[in-house]
């Protein structure tokens, strides 16, 4: 790979299975992607598409019944698949940090936020008490928390949702990680706070040249922060490309469906078009393309064989048989208005 | 906070008033005449009647109760019908033995219960978990008087590791611990089982929460995740159970002091009830009720320390 020194994270042919009483179910099926330094990659998809599981597997935080059955996760060129728990502990927060969906439950209610940040710093460094204290203040200032000296003595329940998510980000940045993983960090927040948090993540990414892997189901969030997009459906990546490629020129009917189901401020009269049906459950064994039961363009072969990867241009790939038959025409020509291409 | 404590102490006065009335009333309507016990079976009816008159037992119920309460307010618990001993003094004399038994029993219940609960939760669905759960069920189902008798048989009579009964040596001597260990285990076991079940289920619930995932993602050691991040949260409901077990333990001493021949409040009470020694019963029950109320007040105050979200107003 020519730009391997730029590659922070490389996930290769990853498969994740969960064991249950009914036998193993596959949550993530053969996904491959990269995240580079200073790049924001968004994974988009509905609930149950395998987005969050992918993130947790990178951190090795899958629940006990979940297991990586195939593939590798490389971080800065090192394979993390076989790292022990002890080795993983050194990577967590020091190299890769994670922020979670719900700031109301992600902080421990019985410890002060000062303690929770201090603990994170001291896990990885032997800073003195005074230096740690200064670092905590510095981090809280960095994430835009006013009056940090008072805040460190407060408990999570004394802070608003937005403030708590800022604290989570401060915790995540404690040891200057190179990669920030975010699992729908703005879903639980209201819209104005949401954009503040997104701005903060963007600023910090640029400031520290971090890679950001960001999971969301919200297309408006994607347009705001993403450099590249991975669209996941039923445990597979169905379309991948730069934000311009995917937003302006979506090639997969599912991506098109996602874009059509979002209201557009420039075209308030456009009717919203929901994707019919619901995402497949992990137990469903759908032959061929997982999306074909919900796809309005479904053809015969869609139910027979999983589509191979078609390259639209160097960065833009899609798994859809429409590309083979050439039947795809640009159905969502209007979607560029959603993505304001500056 | 101070206001809260004063409110609770104020409430306690009414609780104790209620308890004293119920005990006084139930002793009054219970069959058996204290005068007969004092005079002896063979005594002529006139003697018994004379004693009844002297002791004020012929007065109307509310007069008797009023007399008793008048004394109680002045700190006078009355005199034993049987031994003429001052009730307060008799109780104080026996108190150390009961305190020793309950403290040891509570320690067993808390340490054993919490430890077993944690182990069961950490090794969820393993043989350790199943063993711990079975132990809990067993601990809850075995009556402690039977367990106590068996323990004496095995450890005192057959193995001769410990004395058969009685507290004769000071607390923290080898002999003292030897005397205490079997009664304490017997007393604490069923509470340990309750606490173990509570700790286990709370730990399992807490371990599934988001902040545990956060702690792990920060690179916190597993042992610290369990013992600091999870345990403190799991302790909040467990403390409640611990406070309630105190009542169970106090009830247990009544039986186990008999079984292990320990001269404590429990045994004092049993004897007093059998001999219709009203003032002694009254004094013992009031002490137990007051202790229970105070312990639960302490538990409520412990919540504030463990859980910062709880406060009792300013």
């Amino acid at each position: 790979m020519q730009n391997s020194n730029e590659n922070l994270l490389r996930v290769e042919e990853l498969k994740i299975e969960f064991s249950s009483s009914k036998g193993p179910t596959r949550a993530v099926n053969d996904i491959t992607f990269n995240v580079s330094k200073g790049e924001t990659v968004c994974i988009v998809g509905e609930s149950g598409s395998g987005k969050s599981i992918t993130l947790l597997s990178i951190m090795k935080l899958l629940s006990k019944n979940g297991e990586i059955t195939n593939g590798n996760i490389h971080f800065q060129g090192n394979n993390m698949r076989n790292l022990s728990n002890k080795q993983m502990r050194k990577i967590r927060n020091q190299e890769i940090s994670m922020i979670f969906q719900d700031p109301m439950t992600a902080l421990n209610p019985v410890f002060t936020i000062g303690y929770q940040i201090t603990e994170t710093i001291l896990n990885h460094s032997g800073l003195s008490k005074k230096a740690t204290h200064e670092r905590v203040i510095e981090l809280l200032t960095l994430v835009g928390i006013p009056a940090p000296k008072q805040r460190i003595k407060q408990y999570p329940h004394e802070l608003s949702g937005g403030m708590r998510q800022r604290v989570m980000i401060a915790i995540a940045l404690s040891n200057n990680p190179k990669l920030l993983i975010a699992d729908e960090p703005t879903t639980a927040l209201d819209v104005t706070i949401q954009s503040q948090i997104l701005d903060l993540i963007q600023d910090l990414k640029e400031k520290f040249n971090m890679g950001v892997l960001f999971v969301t189901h919200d297309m408006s969030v994607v347009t705001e922060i993403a450099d590249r997009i991975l669209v996941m459906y039923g445990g597979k990546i169905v379309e991948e490309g730069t934000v311009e490629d995917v937003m302006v020129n979506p090639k997969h009917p599912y991506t098109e469906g996602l874009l059509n189901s979002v209201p557009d401020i420039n075209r308030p009269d456009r009717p919203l078009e929901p994707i019919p049906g619901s995402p497949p459950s992990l137990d469903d064994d759908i032959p061929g393309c997982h999306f074909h039961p919900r796809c309005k363009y479904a053809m015969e072969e869609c139910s027979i064989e999983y589509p191979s990867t078609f390259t639209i241009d160097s960065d833009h790939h899609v798994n859809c048989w429409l590309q083979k038959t050439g039947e795809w025409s640009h159905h969502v020509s209007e979607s560029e208005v959603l993505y304001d291409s500056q | 906070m101070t206001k809260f404590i004063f409110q609770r102490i104020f409430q306690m006065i009414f609780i104790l008033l209620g308890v004293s009335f119920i005990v006084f009333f139930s002793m009054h309507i219970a069959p058996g005449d204290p005068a007969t016990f004092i005079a002896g079976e063979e005594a002529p009816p006139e003697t018994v009647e004379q004693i009844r008159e002297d002791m004020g037992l012929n007065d109307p119920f509310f007069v008797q109760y009023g007399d008793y309460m008048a004394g109680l307010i002045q700190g006078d618990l009355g005199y034993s019908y049987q031994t003429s001993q001052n009730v307060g003094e008799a109780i104080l004399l026996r108190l150390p033995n009961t305190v020793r038994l309950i403290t040891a029993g509570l320690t067993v219940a808390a340490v054993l219960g919490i430890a077993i609960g944690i182990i069961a939760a950490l090794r969820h669905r393993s043989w350790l978990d199943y063993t711990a759960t079975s132990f809990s069920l067993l601990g809850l189902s075995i009556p402690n008087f039977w367990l106590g008798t068996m323990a004496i048989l095995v450890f005192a009579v057959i193995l001769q590791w410990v004395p058969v009964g009685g507290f004769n040596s000071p607390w923290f001597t080898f002999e003292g611990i030897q005397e205490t260990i079997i009664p304490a285990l017997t007393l604490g076991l069923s509470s340990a089982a309750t606490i173990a079940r509570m700790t286990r289920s709370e730990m399992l619930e807490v371990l599934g929460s988001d902040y545990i995932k956060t702690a792990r993602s920060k690179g916190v050691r597993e042992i610290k995740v369990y013992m600091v991040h999870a345990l403190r949260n799991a302790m909040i409901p467990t403390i409640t159970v611990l406070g309630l077990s105190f009542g169970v333990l106090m009830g247990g001493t009544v039986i186990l002091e008999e079984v292990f021949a320990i001269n404590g409040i429990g045994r004092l009470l049993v004897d007093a009830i059998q001999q219709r020694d009203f003032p002694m019963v009254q004094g013992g029950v009031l002490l137990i009720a007051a202790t229970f109320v105070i312990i639960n007040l302490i538990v409520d105050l412990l919540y504030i320390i463990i859980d910062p979200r709880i406060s009792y107003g300013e």
Side-chain angles (χ1 to χ4, degrees):
Chain A
M1 194 156 297
Q2 66 269 54
N3 59 347
S4 61
N5 53 344
E6 289 292 308
N7 251 349
L8 261 184
L9 179 77
R10 174 160 179 78
V11 173
E12 262 174 9
E13 297 170 5
L14 185 71
K15 283 184 188 171
I16 300 169
E17 280 182 4
F18 282 84
S19 55
S20 69
S21 49
K22 284 184 261 171
T25 49
R26 189 162 289 171
V28 171
N29 192 356
D30 199 11
I31 65 170
T32 298
F33 64 90
N34 295 325
V35 181
S36 304
K37 269 182 196 165
E39 180 188 42
T40 303
V41 175
C42 271
I43 304 182
V44 193
E46 284 164 287
S47 315
S49 59
K51 311 166 293 193
S52 300
I53 299 299
T54 306
L55 297 194
L56 288 174
S57 75
I58 295 168
M59 292 297 276
K60 279 215 172 182
L61 287 174
L62 286 175
S63 55
K64 273 182 190 152
N65 58 340
E67 195 198 353
I68 298 178
T69 53
N70 185 55
N72 289 309
I73 298 169
H74 293 277
F75 182 74
Q76 295 187 312
N78 301 316
N79 194 344
M80 298 205 296
R81 168 96 187 261
N82 298 316
L83 289 188
S84 68
N85 258 330
K86 200 178 167 194
Q87 290 165 314
M88 261 327 281
R89 260 207 330 271
K90 293 211 172 90
I91 288 180
R92 292 178 192 146
N93 204 280
Q94 176 104 301
E95 305 285 347
I96 310 177
S97 279
M98 186 158 181
I99 46 181
F100 298 91
Q101 181 168 356
D102 190 356
M104 308 310 268
T105 57
L107 291 165
N108 197 323
V110 300
F111 296 108
T112 60
I113 62 165
Y115 173 85
Q116 298 189 51
I117 303 174
T118 306
E119 176 191 52
T120 319
I121 298 169
L122 292 177
N123 271 331
H124 298 282
S125 70
L127 284 183
S128 71
K129 205 176 163 190
K130 190 162 169 265
T132 311
H133 181 78
E134 278 163 12
R135 173 78 178 137
V136 174
I137 303 283
E138 182 192 331
L139 282 163
L140 289 175
T141 314
L142 187 71
V143 297
I145 289 183
K149 278 185 184 140
Q150 281 80 56
R151 295 287 176 183
I152 55 173
K153 293 181 202 120
Q154 289 186 318
Y155 290 92
H157 72 275
E158 297 171 276
L159 272 63
S160 67
M163 281 297 155
R164 290 191 216 184
Q165 197 60 292
R166 284 173 195 268
V167 171
M168 277 304 291
I169 295 171
I171 289 175
L173 295 176
S174 298
N175 292 292
N176 302 312
K178 298 180 182 69
L179 177 67
L180 180 68
I181 294 181
D183 186 3
E184 308 208 26
T186 57
T187 309
L189 305 173
D190 64 54
V191 185
T192 48
I193 306 296
Q194 170 171 326
S195 74
Q196 287 174 15
I197 296 289
L198 290 176
D199 287 345
L200 177 65
I201 293 176
Q202 283 295 78
D203 287 349
L204 294 168
K205 180 198 86 170
E206 277 156 32
K207 196 166 178 182
F208 299 109
N209 198 26
M210 287 186 298
V212 176
L213 181 57
F214 196 105
V215 154
T216 180
H217 62 260
D218 185 341
M219 293 309 268
S220 62
V221 169
V222 175
T223 53
E224 210 169 314
I225 63 161
D227 295 316
R228 275 192 312 119
I229 301 178
L230 312 170
V231 181
M232 272 188 90
Y233 188 82
K236 282 178 171 289
I237 293 175
V238 294
E239 183 165 3
E240 175 184 1
T242 63
V243 68
E244 291 87 353
D245 290 339
V246 178
M247 287 294 187
V248 180
N249 192 16
K251 291 295 181 193
H252 198 285
Y254 179 61
T255 319
E256 179 202 284
L258 282 180
L259 290 171
N260 282 342
S261 61
V262 179
D264 180 351
I265 196 161
N266 295 313
R267 295 192 54 211
D269 54 330
R270 192 199 71 183
L272 291 184
E273 215 183 296
I275 305 171
S278 51
S281 107
L282 293 180
D283 306 323
D284 295 345
D285 193 13
I286 301 167
C289 173
H290 294 168
F291 188 61
H292 85 263
R294 300 171 74 189
C295 180
K296 55 183 174 185
Y297 312 111
M299 305 172 294
E300 205 186 336
E301 59 194 308
C302 295
S303 59
I304 299 165
E305 202 187 341
Y306 190 80
S308 36
T309 307
F310 294 92
T311 302
I312 311 300
D313 58 54
S314 63
D315 288 329
H316 192 181
H317 311 279
V318 66
N319 294 75
C320 179
W321 286 127
L322 290 171
Q323 295 305 316
K324 184 186 170 195
T325 55
E327 279 183 26
W328 178 268
S329 54
H330 190 34
H331 298 279
V332 268
S333 53
E334 275 82 34
S335 64
E336 56 260 54
V337 280
L338 177 71
Y339 175 70
D340 183 4
S341 55
Q342 278 113 40
Chain B
M1 189 52 185
T2 331
K3 196 179 157 204
F4 170 78
I5 297 174
F6 277 114
Q7 271 174 351
R8 289 289 296 265
I9 291 173
F10 190 65
Q11 281 172 9
M12 192 170 107
I13 296 170
F14 289 97
I15 292 170
L16 293 182
L17 217 61
V19 169
S20 73
F21 182 78
I22 291 167
V23 176
F24 205 90
F25 183 68
S26 55
M27 288 305 285
H28 198 79
I29 58 170
D33 180 4
T36 321
F37 279 91
I38 294 165
E41 294 279 335
E42 316 283 299
E46 307 84 69
T47 320
V48 176
E49 191 48 39
Q50 186 56 48
I51 293 172
R52 290 187 62 82
E53 195 57 46
D54 291 348
M55 287 167 58
L57 288 170
N58 284 337
D59 293 343
F61 171 75
F62 280 102
V63 174
Q64 289 186 40
Y65 183 64
D67 284 348
Y68 179 77
M69 290 312 288
L72 189 64
I73 288 163
Q74 295 162 45
D76 180 10
L77 287 166
Y79 290 88
S80 163
Y81 290 169
Q82 283 298 316
T83 60
S84 309
Q85 210 181 352
N86 182 302
V87 171
E89 278 168 18
I91 286 174
L92 276 180
L93 206 65
R94 304 279 195 111
L95 194 61
N97 280 341
T98 300
V99 170
R100 174 166 157 188
L101 181 59
I102 289 185
T103 315
L106 197 68
T107 312
V108 166
V111 173
L112 210 62
I114 292 172
I116 289 173
I118 293 173
I119 292 168
L122 297 196
R123 296 279 172 268
H124 187 38
R125 294 197 181 129
S126 70
W127 64 269
L128 262 172
D129 183 17
Y130 296 129
T131 312
T133 319
S134 318
F135 158 82
S136 306
L137 203 62
L138 209 65
L140 283 173
S141 344
I142 298 178
N144 57 13
F145 60 85
W146 182 84
L147 191 67
T149 319
M150 288 303 121
I152 291 173
L153 185 67
V154 174
F155 296 104
V157 178
I158 299 173
L159 295 171
Q160 302 199 338
W161 288 351
V162 295
V164 176
F167 281 173
N168 304 310
S169 316
W171 286 45
F172 294 106
T173 55
F174 179 72
E175 288 79 17
I177 293 169
Q178 228 180 2
E179 287 166 4
T180 319
I181 192 152
I182 294 298
L185 277 171
T186 313
L187 180 64
L189 201 70
S190 72
S191 296
T194 319
I195 292 166
R197 301 185 124 213
M198 194 71 191
T199 309
R200 174 181 176 272
S201 65
E202 282 305 316
M203 278 295 274
L204 284 177
E205 197 187 312
V206 167
L207 284 173
S209 57
D210 284 353
Y211 52 80
I212 294 299
K213 217 176 262 173
T214 305
R216 289 199 172 116
S217 81
K218 297 197 304 192
V220 174
R221 288 165 179 279
E222 279 298 287
I223 182 86
K224 216 180 153 195
V225 170
Y226 295 134
M227 301 311 284
V228 177
H229 286 264
L231 189 59
R232 180 124 177 225
N233 282 283
M235 274 302 104
I236 299 164
T238 309
I239 288 286
T240 314
V241 177
L242 202 65
L244 293 174
S245 339
F246 197 85
V248 178
L249 289 179
M250 282 195 297
T253 57
V254 173
I255 293 161
L256 287 183
E257 284 179 359
E258 276 300 316
V259 174
F260 289 101
I262 295 163
N263 273 325
I265 309 284
R267 222 173 165 201
L268 188 73
L269 260 179
V270 173
D271 291 346
I273 291 169
Q274 279 170 356
Q275 294 164 351
R276 300 294 178 275
D277 193 346
F278 292 173
M280 201 60 102
V281 175
Q282 187 82 349
V285 172
L286 276 180
L287 175 80
I288 290 175
T291 317
F292 189 71
V293 174
I294 290 169
I295 291 291
N296 277 286
L297 174 63
I298 294 173
V299 166
D300 285 343
L301 295 178
L302 273 179
Y303 288 144
I304 306 179
I305 299 171
I306 295 180
D307 189 346
R309 287 165 297 183
I310 296 172
S311 74
Y312 297 120
E314 283 310 302

